[in-house]
Amino acid sequence: MFEAANCFAAEVFDDSADLDFEPGTILFARRLGPEAPVPVGAKVLARFFLEPATHSGPRTTHEILYGIVDRNIVGDLVLITRTRNRLVPRNVLIQSAAPSRAGFAERAISPLTRDASVLYEPRPDDPANCSAW
């Protein structure tokens, strides 16, 4: 998994990760394997898309952000960015929670533990791709 073919380098050229890295820092990241569990709290690079998926070709990347992966109260997979820059959103949606098939029936709330993992499976309509960390 840590072979050079599965890794890439990225430069932090602005203040979008200034809580952890200085501008000009080079990060070496590895791609997530298919069906790789992502620990909640893992530091990741997430690629956000400009437009919804189409069958005509690859999706255009809008922005790549660095942060910590987590789940919000409704179960969405989100990126919590690590910057003091107020122009960068603090929480950004990576993948919406799968809709419940139970309809209007309520179920007991089961809070996620901090040591939980997320089994990330990309879907074509995701606004982002958590492909590197």
Side-chain angles (χ1 to χ4, degrees):
M1 168 140 344
F2 293 107
E3 293 84 28
N6 294 325
C7 300
F8 65 93
E11 179 182 1
V12 179
F13 67 90
D14 58 11
D15 63 352
S16 62
D18 64 351
L19 290 176
D20 295 328
F21 304 106
E22 293 291 324
T25 301
I26 304 293
L27 302 177
F28 292 94
R30 62 184 170 97
R31 296 187 189 280
L32 291 174
E35 299 183 6
V38 181
V40 169
K43 294 179 178 176
V44 300
L45 297 176
R47 181 169 57 118
F48 292 87
F49 301 115
L50 188 59
E51 297 175 8
T54 63
H55 299 292
S56 62
R59 295 175 75 182
T60 305
T61 299
H62 172 63
E63 193 165 19
I64 297 173
L65 293 176
Y66 160 80
I68 297 171
V69 70
D70 202 352
R71 289 224 180 252
N72 64 16
I73 194 167
V74 295
D76 298 334
L77 188 63
V78 296
L79 180 75
I80 302 170
T81 56
R82 297 280 297 154
T83 179
R84 288 182 285 259
N85 184 339
R86 291 178 166 229
L87 298 176
V88 176
R90 296 287 179 238
N91 299 299
V92 191
L93 178 68
I94 294 173
Q95 185 179 66
S96 296
S100 171
R101 303 223 189 278
F104 291 112
E106 291 186 22
R107 60 178 190 243
I109 296 175
S110 57
L112 295 172
T113 60
R114 291 289 97 195
D115 60 345
S117 292
V118 176
L119 185 59
Y120 175 67
E121 297 176 17
R123 297 188 303 244
D125 59 341
D126 289 347
N129 185 320
C130 186
S131 62
W133 62 313

